[in-house]
Amino acid sequence: MRLQTTIEIFDYWNRIRGTADAPLKSQVEPSAVPHLLQSLFILEKRDGGDIGFRLAGTRICDLFGRDLRGERFSSLWANGQHTDIERTAMGVMDHAMPALFNATGYSTVGHQASFEIVMMPLRSRDGACDRLLGAITPAAAASWLEIVPLEFLALDRSRLLPTHFGRAAPADVRPVNEVVAGIGARFGQVMRRMVSQLLSVEAR
């Protein structure tokens, strides 16, 4: 975890959960982190079995050039990664274990940028984890991000984040994240080659 936004929202999530493995969604107070709101999102598990955006900050919506509320989370990701991304997000809720993603975003005209994405579980009053609090943050400033929307994200790496009492990741979660990370790394390499080839063709 390297970016200030990611660190701050993870620290906030840690504070409000106390000794619990995940805080109640009612404990999240936007007024406590006003400077982070534009980069935050909340995902929810929906009746159809998928995961969608309940809320998305203005900066996230600007990155993709549209309002993401109600959209399926996996729709932001590259073809071939939808199932793995959704399975990992479900795992974060099912096991109440936060996760960190490193991804590359690709624009419609071939630009690319690195992103850090964190997802942390939230509980309902009935005790079930059915929502995720998260943030999407570019690793470096890029002027084109304010002008050209991202077409999709490609996962490069993912890992579970340690929580209190040195709790280890459940055995059945680790393989999912390792598989997703491997697929993401290979896919990112392939996409970079494809983008380079496309740009070289256009330059001729």
Side-chain angles (χ1 to χ4, degrees), residues 44-52 72 86 90 93:
E44 62 181 352
K45 187 185 296 185
R46 302 191 290 203
D47 292 341
D50 66 342
I51 295 176
R72 191 167 182 168
E86 198 147 276
M90 287 287 190
M93 288 189 280

Side-chain angles (χ1 to χ4, degrees), residues 81 84 154-157 179-189 192:
Q81 292 191 329
D84 290 319
L155 184 64
D156 299 317
R157 180 173 178 265
V179 168
V180 171
I183 292 173
R186 292 193 298 274
F187 187 87
Q189 292 168 1
R192 281 188 280 276

Side-chain angles (χ1 to χ4, degrees), residues 41-83:
F41 61 80
I42 292 180
L43 303 178
E44 62 181 352
K45 187 185 296 185
R46 302 191 290 203
D47 292 341
D50 66 342
I51 295 176
F53 282 96
R54 184 173 181 84
L55 294 170
T58 54
R59 191 175 189 189
I60 300 174
C61 293
D62 288 345
L63 285 172
F64 290 91
R66 62 187 187 274
D67 184 1
L68 296 175
R69 184 167 184 171
E71 191 165 326
R72 191 167 182 168
F73 179 58
S74 60
S75 69
L76 303 188
W77 298 83
N79 289 331
Q81 292 191 329
H82 295 174
T83 300

Side-chain angles (χ1 to χ4, degrees), residues 1 6 9-10 13 21 40-44 51-53 73-74 77 84-93 96-101 116-122 131-136 155 158-161 163 177 180:
M1 203 182 306
T6 310
I9 194 59
F10 183 67
W13 176 83
D21 55 6
L40 301 184
F41 61 80
I42 292 180
L43 303 178
E44 62 181 352
I51 295 176
F53 282 96
F73 179 58
S74 60
W77 298 83
D84 290 319
I85 288 295
E86 198 147 276
R87 187 184 301 133
T88 302
M90 287 287 190
V92 171
M93 288 189 280
M97 295 286 289
L100 182 70
F101 299 82
E116 195 169 73
I117 303 166
V118 66
M119 295 195 306
M120 300 154 291
L122 299 175
R131 290 191 188 174
L132 295 172
L133 171 65
I136 299 178
L155 184 64
S158 70
R159 64 185 177 92
L160 296 174
L161 296 172
T163 54
N177 285 272
V180 171

Side-chain angles (χ1 to χ4, degrees), residues 169-183:
D172 56 339
V173 174
R174 278 200 181 112
V176 170
N177 285 272
E178 290 167 3
V179 168
V180 171
I183 292 173

